[in-house]
Amino acid sequence: MSTFQTIDDLPADSRVLVRLDLNSPIEDGEPQDNRRFERHARTVRDLADAGHRVVLMAHQGRPGRDDFTSLSGHAAVLADHVGREVDFVADTYGEDALAAIEALEAGEVLLLENTRMCDEELPEASPAEKADTEFVRTLAPLFDVYVNDAYSAAHRKHASLVGFPLALPAYAGRVMESEYEANTAIARKEFDGPVTMVVGGTKATDVIGVMDALGDRVDRFLLGGVAGELFLRAAGHPVGRDLEGMDLFDEQWDVNHETVEAILEERGDAIRLAIDLAYEGADGDRAEVRVADLDEKTDAYLDVGSATVADYAPLIRESDAVFVKGALGVFEDERFADGTVGVLEAIAETDCFSVVGGGDTSRAIEMYGLDEDDFSHVSIAGGAYIRALTGEPLPAIELLRRADDGGA
Ligand SMILES: Nc1ncnc2c1ncn2[C@@H]1O[C@H](COP(=O)(O)OP(=O)(O)O)[C@@H](O)[C@H]1O
Ligand SMILES: O=C(OP(=O)(O)O)[C@H](O)COP(=O)(O)O
């Protein structure tokens, strides 16, 4: 028996409320196509083909961040992948949303506005508190069932993820099933040789706590991105802080510096830090500086340098397993892709077991002509997948499992 009830178990002609994760890179206000659309499209298509009325919820960015936008552009990208029209209503649970939901016919698909535009979505709270919000209490009665397909957001205790499964019978979508199975199997795997984790990206808070919880399961961590700079700061270098107008380092330093210092103290031998960093030189080209030569941070560091790539690549080649969470630099800009691509190429060249995770990071595979088949698993989840490696339960998934056991 499956761990979850799945969309194959739905009663016929259901009114289905589905949580997807369409959180995507935004360029010029538009969502950039990525694996999340392609993978979730299968769930949406299967539900619509079965004749259900399908209402989709998803989030984009966080209030205050540049990538916090409406989902109007997401509907068109998703429609291309589903091969069906996806209507959009610029409302979460107000009159316009309710009217659009009521008007839906069998087999039609409607995307609601960014769940994070609803004040009750974000503050993390218990499922019972989230189920008691206006948001959940208003929408739930319009549906027969709730489907969670957002594995990659399952580490968040937000209303759309943990509130609805208490209010409606809850099912797992196709992505939820496949990512759960893959990541649970990976978490149980034993490896004979060294296990390496490449840690980068911008969400340092997500990865640093997990690095601590992974303990001896990972033999060495190769760092870059924002987390890498925070570790360099803890090691006494003048980096890992915000320059004017930046909002990447100082807050995450305040939250994490004790953990970072403790990890360095207890597992310093397992931590490999950048020995050089890349930035935009005066002529607009990529320039590099050795970390040991830095007296102060005057530039934004946008990648690890070439000496760091040369240091990390052999360590990857001799690994039995490599897990990647987060890019080592701003790979979307070709000048700053060397770290991320260098690491991915080293993985692709070897036959180690490998997982590349993260909605943003996994895009580097197709952007730079790498072959997805050279990696054991490319996950559309970032924070959720590395948390799964610790064996720690993900709150939104626990609620689906409980539903399978006969309700919470
Ligand atoms: N030094 C850096 N400064 C700013 N952004 C960075 C840096 N290094 C990596 N990034 C960005 O991190 C993003 C991926 O990080 P994150 O959102 O944490 O991971 P994911 O979505 O893949 O789980 C990439 O889009 C990349 O541009
Ligand atoms: O993109 C996501 O996570 P990821 O960057 O860890 O892959 C999820 O949509 C969660 O988004 P959040 O980290 O803003 O809560």
Side-chain angles (χ1 to χ4, degrees):
M1 191 175 70
S2 163
T3 315
F4 311 114
Q5 294 201 84
T6 74
I7 59 177
D8 297 320
D9 304 313
L10 291 179
D13 304 322
S14 289
R15 295 170 303 160
V16 189
L17 180 63
V18 190
R19 177 59 156 96
L20 306 178
D21 185 356
L22 301 178
N23 196 30
S24 300
I26 300 290
E27 279 171 31
D28 300 326
E30 292 302 322
Q32 301 303 296
D33 198 0
N34 65 83
R35 276 183 189 71
R36 288 188 171 161
F37 288 98
E38 176 201 316
R39 298 226 183 138
H40 283 303
R42 189 169 156 225
T43 303
V44 177
R45 195 180 316 111
D46 286 357
L47 286 167
D49 285 353
H52 301 298
R53 274 169 271 186
V54 186
V55 175
L56 309 172
M57 294 186 291
H59 73 274
Q60 175 60 56
R62 284 186 177 235
R65 304 262 161 181
D66 290 347
D67 64 350
F68 182 60
T69 63
S70 165
L71 296 187
S72 58
H74 297 62
V77 182
L78 183 63
D80 279 347
H81 286 282
V82 178
R84 276 177 183 263
E85 215 169 291
V86 174
D87 283 337
F88 171 73
V89 58
D91 189 16
T92 48
Y93 69 100
E95 277 177 24
D96 291 349
L98 302 193
I101 294 167
E102 294 285 5
L104 215 61
E105 307 269 353
E108 288 184 343
V109 182
L110 169 72
L111 175 64
L112 302 179
E113 184 56 286
N114 187 345
T115 53
R116 292 182 180 178
M117 289 189 180
C118 162
D119 291 344
E120 292 172 316
E121 167 73 344
L122 270 179
E124 295 223 320
S126 69
E129 285 168 90
K130 287 304 190 184
D132 196 30
T133 55
E134 282 281 312
F135 175 32
V136 174
R137 284 196 285 115
T138 308
L139 279 189
L142 303 182
F143 295 91
D144 302 308
V145 296
Y146 166 80
V147 171
N148 190 348
D149 210 27
Y151 178 88
S152 46
H155 52 316
R156 309 289 189 213
K157 284 187 267 176
H158 299 158
S160 62
L161 294 155
V162 300
F164 287 103
L166 291 193
L168 288 164
Y171 296 76
R174 302 288 186 221
V175 173
M176 176 62 81
E177 269 187 277
S178 60
E179 286 275 2
Y180 175 82
E181 274 162 28
N183 293 311
T184 309
I186 292 163
R188 292 199 187 112
K189 244 172 138 51
E190 302 279 337
F191 300 101
D192 296 331
V195 175
T196 299
M197 181 171 274
V198 179
V199 171
T202 54
K203 296 179 187 174
T205 300
D206 280 354
V207 290
I208 289 167
V210 172
M211 283 172 71
D212 202 23
L214 280 166
D216 295 339
R217 281 185 58 85
V218 172
D219 298 299
R220 60 194 168 211
F221 294 93
L222 311 182
L223 274 92
V226 172
E229 266 197 65
L230 295 182
F231 272 81
L232 285 169
R233 177 169 174 177
H237 298 285
V239 299
R241 52 195 83 229
D242 287 324
L243 298 172
E244 209 182 316
M246 236 184 216
D247 183 18
L248 277 173
F249 296 98
D250 293 341
E251 199 185 318
Q252 300 205 80
W253 171 259
D254 289 345
V255 176
N256 296 296
H257 73 93
E258 283 171 11
T259 313
V260 172
E261 284 153 3
I263 293 174
L264 273 183
E265 167 106 22
E266 286 156 29
R267 298 213 58 209
D269 293 351
I271 308 291
R272 203 81 164 203
L273 302 180
I275 47 186
D276 57 352
L277 295 166
Y279 60 98
E280 183 174 350
D283 54 3
D285 286 347
R286 175 186 173 105
E288 295 191 352
V289 59
R290 292 187 75 83
V291 172
D293 295 339
L294 280 170
D295 295 325
E296 60 174 326
K297 180 170 179 174
T298 50
D299 296 276
Y301 300 115
L302 300 171
D303 195 9
V304 296
S306 44
T308 305
V309 179
D311 184 47
Y312 287 179
L315 296 171
I316 287 172
R317 287 197 203 98
E318 67 182 44
S319 297
D320 201 27
V322 182
F323 298 98
V324 181
K325 162 60 178 114
L328 295 188
V330 182
F331 67 86
E332 295 87 346
D333 181 332
E334 240 178 88
R335 294 170 300 169
F336 303 109
D338 293 9
T340 307
V341 176
V343 157
L344 292 177
E345 281 175 350
I347 297 171
E349 282 163 18
T350 62
D351 56 4
C352 66
F353 180 85
S354 60
V355 186
V356 179
D360 287 356
T361 304
S362 58
R363 278 176 82 225
I365 293 174
E366 57 269 5
M367 276 183 81
Y368 292 97
L370 292 149
D371 186 347
E372 184 165 339
D373 292 342
D374 286 332
F375 303 90
S376 312
H377 178 52
V378 178
S379 175
I380 57 169
Y385 118 75
I386 52 165
R387 200 160 307 188
L389 296 183
T390 66
E392 197 187 310
L394 301 174
I397 294 179
E398 287 310 290
L399 292 161
L400 295 182
R401 287 154 63 87
R402 274 196 265 160
D404 191 38
D405 295 341

